[in-house]
Amino acid sequence: MLKRFTVTITALSLIFTMLFFSGCSNSEPEKNMKADTERDELIMAIGSEPDGGFDPTTGWGRYGSPLFQSTILKRDSDMKIVNDLATDYTVSNDGLEWTVNLRRDVRFSDGKPLTAEDVVFTYETTAKSASVVDLNILKSVTALDEYTVKFTLKNPQSTFINILVNTGIVPKHAYGSDYSQKPLGSGPFKFVQWDKGQQLIVEANPQYYGKKPFFKKITFLYLSEEAAFAAAQAGEVDVAAIVPSYAGQKVTGMKLQAVESVDNRGILFPYIKPGEKTKDGYPIGNEVTSDIAIRKAINFYVDRSSLVDGILNGYGSPAYSVCDKMPWWNPDTVIKDADEAGAKQILSEGGWKDSDGDGTLEKGALKAEFNLIYPSGDQIRQSLAIAVADRVKSIGIKINVEGKSWDDMEKLMYSNAIMFGWGSQDPIEMYNLYSSKYRGVDYYNSGFYMNPKVDEYLNKAMSSISEADALQYWKKAQWDGSTGFGTNGDAPWAWLVNLDHLYLVKEKLNIGKQKIHPHGHGWPLTDNIEEWHWEN
């Protein structure tokens, strides 16, 4: 996971002093020397500092471009898969062998050629790292010749193509224990300097085989959301990531750019009744949320559009699944929300009624009451949790909202409702969240959801030969007309909103056509960095 460093506004002047006098120029700030459109350098505050550094074999680049490294394939702005290092690839009829032909003109930033041996080394190193990059499906990877690689899978897996999209290639000759701190690759930019907790400086890679970046140097500042906004107001950054609460404030010389995302927020409900414990001894299940009437009533009664308008200041969209608007999304998961009559009917038919007149429904001796936990310090998740709790009170459901640390949440998430955030450009996220195979595994299916028919669809999607073949099964797993994990099916989640990713951008800076952004870790904004340029 990525850490958000809280550099205060008081410390901002120290960073700028260091940046301008050691990183940007030898005398006075760059902004005083040239007009924006004459500068070939950028200063940005667009996200968190990666805990583990910049090593793709341990997960760097999964949520946006790896920046320093190239990938075998990539997705264009329309989410279509296109070549990067590959010139072409073929898949055997049984889906087990993927053969990739590589470009012959690729060099790492130190001038040495990138060959099939580097690809083999990268994937073997990744498989051994036991990191967030899951390569359990990979049986072997071999170099057939200097520029041809063969991947052999244990079983067909349609999502393997996304591993080829997301995994940056590292150099066999220059990979060592300090690689994550001083990365070397064949991507559009090369590493220059990393001052931990403060900044990262990169320069254009003269060896890059693709479109040459307009900007020769970029400095990334690691600032808190408040400090990033202050830096934008002071005119000291060219791009700043901001939260919705700042979106209505005008900043001279900058424009607000809202990028659509699948970065969603939703409530995970414990799906089974209590009684079991995890291997670590944490309780599993919840008597109230295991009742489908409670889960469906909340899904039908929340007002998603009002949450977007009131909490996100309009910068977002209602969410009905973990993958809205992605190629594998089933739009039949969209329901009529803010439906009071429908929600009350669901509860009534489920046997819930307010027998004692205290405003909270009961089912026998059981009260319609449970806890909803959010990560403390996350203002948006807190506001969403409070808003949902306030709303469902009027239909007789009492939700107790609590903020907890992630350490506490890891113990409580199997037996309490949790305000989570997900969103990926890889459909395997659906498998991880809803497959019975992942019940209680990490942060995935912590509600212990299970539906044999959904498992069947998910397994068929995973074992399909191609992404295209898998689409029908991903969609049926969400809703096939009679069952599914969607809002109109088992509803183990109440998805609420998709965030827009908001950036203040210098008025004349063109950041190209952005694809739909994934969950907010990493720097998805830089995925097309070589397209960025000044406009006259």
Side-chain angles (χ1 to χ4, degrees):
M1 298 183 69
L2 296 174
K3 189 185 298 178
R4 287 197 175 277
F5 280 78
T6 54
V7 180
T8 63
I9 295 176
T10 306
L12 202 54
S13 59
L14 175 61
I15 294 176
F16 291 147
T17 300
M18 174 187 64
L19 174 65
F20 287 126
F21 287 93
S22 68
C24 287
S25 70
N26 294 322
S27 53
E28 55 186 287
E30 185 75 12
K31 69 184 185 68
N32 293 330
M33 297 173 63
K34 297 181 180 178
D36 280 342
T37 54
E38 297 176 4
R39 292 167 49 224
D40 60 3
E41 299 182 10
L42 287 178
I43 304 169
M44 303 197 285
I46 60 169
S48 306
E49 184 171 36
D51 282 346
F54 307 99
D55 185 350
T57 71
T58 58
W60 163 249
R62 289 175 68 239
Y63 291 95
S65 168
L67 193 66
F68 307 113
Q69 298 91 5
S70 307
T71 53
I72 291 174
L73 302 171
K74 61 183 179 181
R75 290 188 184 272
D76 65 15
S77 58
D78 296 316
M79 294 299 297
K80 294 178 181 177
I81 292 177
V82 296
N83 293 328
D84 189 0
L85 290 174
T87 58
D88 59 75
Y89 70 94
T90 58
V91 183
S92 62
N93 290 336
D94 60 7
L96 295 179
E97 293 184 353
W98 294 59
T99 304
V100 178
N101 293 309
L102 301 172
R103 298 176 63 131
R104 296 169 180 259
D105 60 344
V106 180
R107 294 184 176 274
F108 291 105
S109 58
D110 64 357
K112 297 195 175 172
L114 186 153
T115 69
E117 289 295 336
D118 296 297
V119 175
V120 171
F121 175 80
T122 296
Y123 278 81
E124 288 182 342
T125 302
T126 302
K128 293 173 186 174
S129 72
S131 70
V132 292
V133 184
D134 186 356
L135 278 179
N136 285 326
I137 191 66
L138 186 62
K139 181 178 181 181
S140 65
V141 53
T142 55
L144 300 183
D145 59 39
E146 195 172 8
Y147 293 101
T148 309
V149 181
K150 183 174 77 172
F151 298 90
T152 303
L153 308 186
K154 297 173 185 175
N155 305 106
Q157 183 169 306
S158 62
T159 59
F160 180 70
I161 197 167
N162 292 290
I163 295 176
L164 303 182
V165 168
N166 294 329
T167 306
I169 304 303
V170 302
K172 182 178 181 180
H173 70 273
Y175 187 88
S177 59
D178 64 344
Y179 180 85
S180 65
Q181 313 298 305
K182 297 178 180 179
L184 186 149
S186 58
F189 284 85
K190 64 178 183 177
F191 175 88
V192 175
Q193 179 181 332
W194 182 14
D195 301 309
K196 291 187 179 181
Q198 298 176 345
Q199 65 176 352
L200 169 72
I201 300 174
V202 305
E203 292 179 352
N205 176 11
Q207 303 286 348
Y208 186 53
Y209 53 90
K211 181 178 179 181
K212 304 298 183 185
F214 173 87
F215 294 100
K216 305 304 181 190
K217 182 178 181 181
I218 302 177
T219 300
F220 298 90
L221 299 180
Y222 301 129
L223 303 178
S224 69
E225 292 159 346
E226 295 82 3
F229 184 71
Q233 287 181 309
E236 303 292 4
V237 294
D238 300 296
V239 185
I242 63 168
V243 292
S245 57
Y246 292 135
Q249 300 186 44
K250 300 292 184 183
V251 176
T252 302
M254 304 194 84
K255 59 190 174 184
L256 178 66
Q257 199 133 351
V259 181
E260 190 176 21
S261 89
V262 69
D263 189 355
N264 43 54
R265 300 291 181 270
I267 302 170
L268 174 134
F269 298 112
Y271 187 76
I272 63 175
K273 291 182 178 295
E276 300 179 48
K277 289 188 176 182
T278 68
K279 58 181 174 51
D280 295 317
Y282 305 136
I284 299 170
N286 185 288
E287 196 71 47
V288 177
T289 64
S290 61
D291 191 313
I292 191 172
I294 294 290
R295 301 193 306 271
K296 289 182 77 72
I298 293 172
N299 264 287
F300 276 78
Y301 190 50
V302 292
D303 189 342
R304 293 169 174 84
S305 295
S306 292
L307 294 176
V308 171
D309 292 338
I311 295 174
L312 304 183
N313 291 340
Y315 294 104
S317 61
Y320 298 93
S321 79
V322 72
C323 57
D324 291 6
K325 301 176 186 174
M326 302 302 283
W328 38 89
W329 173 51
N330 185 346
D332 290 342
T333 54
V334 176
I335 59 172
K336 176 188 176 185
D337 59 6
D339 182 0
E340 182 175 1
K344 286 182 174 179
Q345 182 179 349
I346 290 169
L347 290 167
S348 176
E349 292 175 353
W352 292 91
K353 55 185 178 180
D354 184 7
S355 301
D356 58 11
D358 68 350
T360 302
L361 301 176
E362 307 96 27
K363 191 173 184 178
L366 181 65
K367 285 281 190 181
E369 179 178 356
F370 61 91
N371 296 331
L372 172 56
I373 298 172
Y374 66 90
S376 55
D378 190 317
Q379 182 182 351
I380 289 177
R381 296 192 206 197
Q382 179 187 37
S383 298
L384 288 169
I386 292 171
V388 170
D390 285 347
R391 181 165 177 83
V392 301
K393 191 185 302 181
S394 65
I395 59 169
I397 299 175
K398 184 179 180 183
I399 298 179
N400 305 308
V401 175
E402 297 182 65
K404 297 285 186 180
S405 69
W406 281 105
D407 287 341
D408 287 337
M409 287 171 60
E410 287 178 2
K411 302 169 186 175
L412 298 169
M413 64 186 180
Y414 310 105
S415 57
N416 294 272
I418 303 289
M419 185 67 71
F420 271 131
W422 291 93
S424 173
Q425 294 171 343
D426 186 341
I428 199 172
E429 184 168 74
M430 274 190 287
Y431 186 83
N432 295 340
L433 292 181
Y434 294 105
S435 170
S436 62
K437 177 183 174 182
Y438 278 90
R439 288 184 299 167
V441 176
D442 296 327
Y443 285 93
Y444 293 136
N445 187 359
S446 62
F448 279 71
Y449 171 69
M450 181 174 67
N451 178 327
K453 192 64 178 178
V454 168
D455 277 343
E456 178 187 334
Y457 289 138
L458 291 174
N459 290 333
K460 284 182 177 179
M462 288 289 284
S463 61
S464 294
I465 303 300
S466 69
E467 185 173 75
D469 292 341
L471 289 180
Q472 61 174 314
Y473 300 116
W474 291 126
K475 293 179 180 182
K476 285 182 178 180
Q478 295 164 66
W479 181 243
D480 68 359
S482 60
T483 191
F485 60 69
T487 49
N488 39 6
D490 296 325
W493 286 75
W495 295 104
L496 302 174
V497 297
N498 298 302
L499 311 180
D500 283 350
H501 286 180
L502 302 178
Y503 302 92
L504 288 172
V505 180
K506 281 289 181 69
E507 286 181 345
K508 293 185 179 296
L509 180 59
N510 185 323
I511 62 171
K513 182 180 179 182
Q514 295 282 322
K515 63 171 67 81
I516 295 177
H517 281 191
H519 191 46
H521 298 316
W523 302 332
L525 189 73
T526 65
D527 202 27
N528 66 339
I529 191 72
E530 60 267 39
E531 297 176 14
W532 293 23
H533 62 276
W534 295 115
E535 293 179 332
N536 294 323

